Amino acid sequence: MQAQEIYEKLKAEFGDAIIEFNAEPFFDPFVLVTTDKLFDICLYLRDTQGLEFDYLSCLGGMDYKENLGVVYHLYSIKLKHTFVIKVTVSKENPFVPTVERIWRTADWHEREAYDMMGIQFEGHHNLIRILCPYDWENFPLRKDYVQPDEYHGMKVPY
Amino acid sequence: MGLLNKLDDPYYGGGIILGKVEDILNWGRSKSDWYLQFGLACCAIEFMAVNASHFDFMRFGCIPRTSPRQADFIIISGTVTFKMAERIKVLYEQMAEPKYVISMGSCSNCGGPYWEHGYHVLKGVDRIIPVDVYIPGCPPRPEALEEGMIRLQEKINKQAIFNKRKRLAEEEKQELIIDN
Amino acid sequence: MGETKKVEFEYSQIDSERMRLNVGPQHPSTHGVLRLEVELDGEIVTEVIPHIGYLHRCFEKHCEKMTYPQVIPYIDRMDYICAMNNEWPYVMGIEKLMGIEVPEKVEYIRVIFAELNRIANHQIAIATFGLDAGAFTPFLYLFRDREFILSIFEKASGGRLLYNYYWVGGLAADVHKEFKEDVLSIVKQVRETNKEIADLLLYNKIFIERVANVGILPADVAISYGCSGPVARGSGLAFDLRKDAPYSIYDRFDFDVVTGHGEVGTVGDCFDRNIVRFHEMEQSCRIIEQAIEQMPMDGDVREKLPKKIRPPKGEIYTKAENPKGELGFYIVSNGTDKPERIKSRGTSFVNLSVLPEISKGYLFADLIMILGSVDIVLGEVDR
């Protein structure tokens, strides 16, 4: 199914929760949705006949300088089509509902997004750091990140 | 070894060798170094290749040991991150004296390609443990690791065991390196 | 010999205490620096908590600081066993953004090198899997063959392990004159060794006892956990991006998607995941033979290399079928010569996340086999 049709289907079902549809050249077509309806939209995309996005390819945290975001790349193993969902949240209040109950693989992806970007996934059963040590400070992939001077007595800069 | 050639020399009457006890001990030590079977990153794959049939590391007398207690030297084969650095220090401390360290590859020498922006990479394993032989390369070729092994053997051959003053001077020199 | 005394007891009578055990990060069977926190009830695994990040080398941070061509060496160091395959989706994504059509010859060389590297990866996977089970000889045989493959890569790129060979718009250098003959002789050698490996290791009764009916991964769980590659195909799922979303020139070749079908045990056990890798080597040989036959020898591989790599503002998710599964890059370009953000979907990272699910209820010795059958590379898990 084409991205345009999927967007129309979503728009008919969820209305205002779909903020924007982007199909510009050089972009994978994506929809921007609100965070409060994100879980329902994902569940709808997975369970509806004809969409069946049963495979979460990639989940990535983003830093758009003024705010943060999460990008979901979906794929359907049966129907072989792809779709992209985006949400944005403010840096002061970075709360996004978790989708780990829809796709189990989101568990580790969300922990990584939390570790790198500091995005809080509400309802995640075990939201702790995954790549950096558990006592690491700050979120390394944010654009304004500054390297620490030392960690446990070891010098960090060259 | 010159020591063994003397066995065939008729002028020595056969079976009699004149030499220092230190040389004999060092010869034995340098030819049966056991290493800790332990890989970190990309270099560990080349390290595995050295162990396999083409390069045959065992001809140097090197046998992999899975416990640091039984190992004579450790090959730091790859990038050392801060999360791992403390573990490597513990591993090194668990090894019995005398112990040696080979730093394999640019990452463990100085941080390698991660030297500038690697916020989670320790820039050189010599910041936490003393290193005897550095092998450059990213990753070093198996031949380079073998040369590093030969260099380590040379170093062991020259070491002082009984000469206390000489030995202490060597240890002092090593401590200086860590302090810096 | 005296009579053996028969001891009769019931398992419920034995007091077994729950015990927490640390495996790794320095452990010969964790394939690198993985730490597993295992909860045991007697000898039975009740819970596994993987702790990763011991090789976190800040890949995504480096991408933001480097120019597009400078990123390629860092991608090599992600999954260092199959560096050729790693470079491909990244290079393909930028070519798509910039609208570059690569020459025919380049496509063929890319396919041949990717498939050769797939064989090399599966050789390591099977060798180390055998090593975990206590079989040392196949390790020596497979590493001997792998050296021949590496020698071809070395002739083309100059590197044994990390190549920086696939460039945006072409290749770093052309192949040598006797390329076709060399590759065909390797294919012959791989097939001969595979016959031996099948007898020596894979269909060995002792080995089958260790791996059959162990670590069963049902297909729906595999999909939910995002598994791909031999891990998903071992569960009977015909999911191969070379067939499902054909990229490059894979639609020109005739090959089969190998899936596990419970040859000696249940579908989706350790044996199936391993045998899929074994049969995939044969399929790769088939692809290489067809590609060698069709490949043109004349043409310049550096003809389409752009002077300046500056993709237009946009974003793209590119993926390719790595030996371990789907490797994806989410590339966000802001119109300058440095990427805004690159998010990599590490195959091993996703595949490893299924380990706690499939290792519950088995013996502790089986846990090592299950981990070996998932075939992870810690460089890609931690990035």
Side-chain angles (χ1 to χ4, degrees), chain A residues 27-31 42 45 53-62 64 70-76 81-87 99 103 105-106 109, chain C residues 226 315-319 326 328-332 341-345:
Chain A
F27 277 84
D28 289 339
F30 68 87
V31 292
C42 288
L45 282 171
F53 287 104
D54 49 4
Y55 191 85
L56 180 68
S57 287
C58 183
L59 186 158
M62 301 288 295
Y64 298 115
V70 186
V71 185
Y72 302 82
H73 289 269
L74 309 180
Y75 180 72
S76 167
H81 55 202
T82 57
F83 198 57
V84 186
I85 309 176
K86 284 186 184 182
V87 290
V99 292
W103 302 285
T105 176
H109 279 299
Chain C
E315 47 188 63
I316 193 164
Y317 178 73
T318 55
K319 53 191 177 183
E326 172 189 332
F329 287 105
Y330 175 48
I331 303 168
V332 182
R341 166 120 167 81
I342 290 179
K343 155 86 186 154
S344 68
R345 179 221 196 258

Side-chain angles (χ1 to χ4, degrees), chain B residues 132-147:
Chain B
D132 293 286
V133 179
Y134 295 90
I135 304 170
C138 188
R141 298 181 58 84
E143 291 91 335
L145 179 59
E146 286 176 348
E147 197 194 336

Side-chain angles (χ1 to χ4, degrees), chain A residues 116 130-134 136 140 145 147 151-152 154-158, chain B residues 82-83 85-86 110-111 115-123 127-128:
Chain A
M116 295 287 130
I130 186 164
L131 296 180
C132 293
Y134 297 117
W136 196 257
Y145 179 72
Q147 276 192 22
Y151 174 76
H152 287 200
M154 291 173 277
K155 198 175 140 212
V156 175
Y158 182 70
Chain B
F82 288 120
K83 211 171 176 177
E86 286 157 351
C110 62
W115 71 275
E116 196 179 2
H117 305 295
Y119 53 83
H120 191 236
V121 176
L122 183 73
K123 280 87 183 172
R127 289 185 183 186
I128 49 166

Side-chain angles (χ1 to χ4, degrees), chain C residues 161-182:
Chain C
L161 197 64
L162 310 168
Y163 313 107
N164 190 10
Y165 186 60
Y166 290 26
W167 283 5
V168 177
L171 297 169
D174 205 345
V175 290
H176 59 284
K177 256 186 205 156
E178 298 85 26
F179 176 68
K180 287 187 174 181
E181 291 80 40
D182 283 2

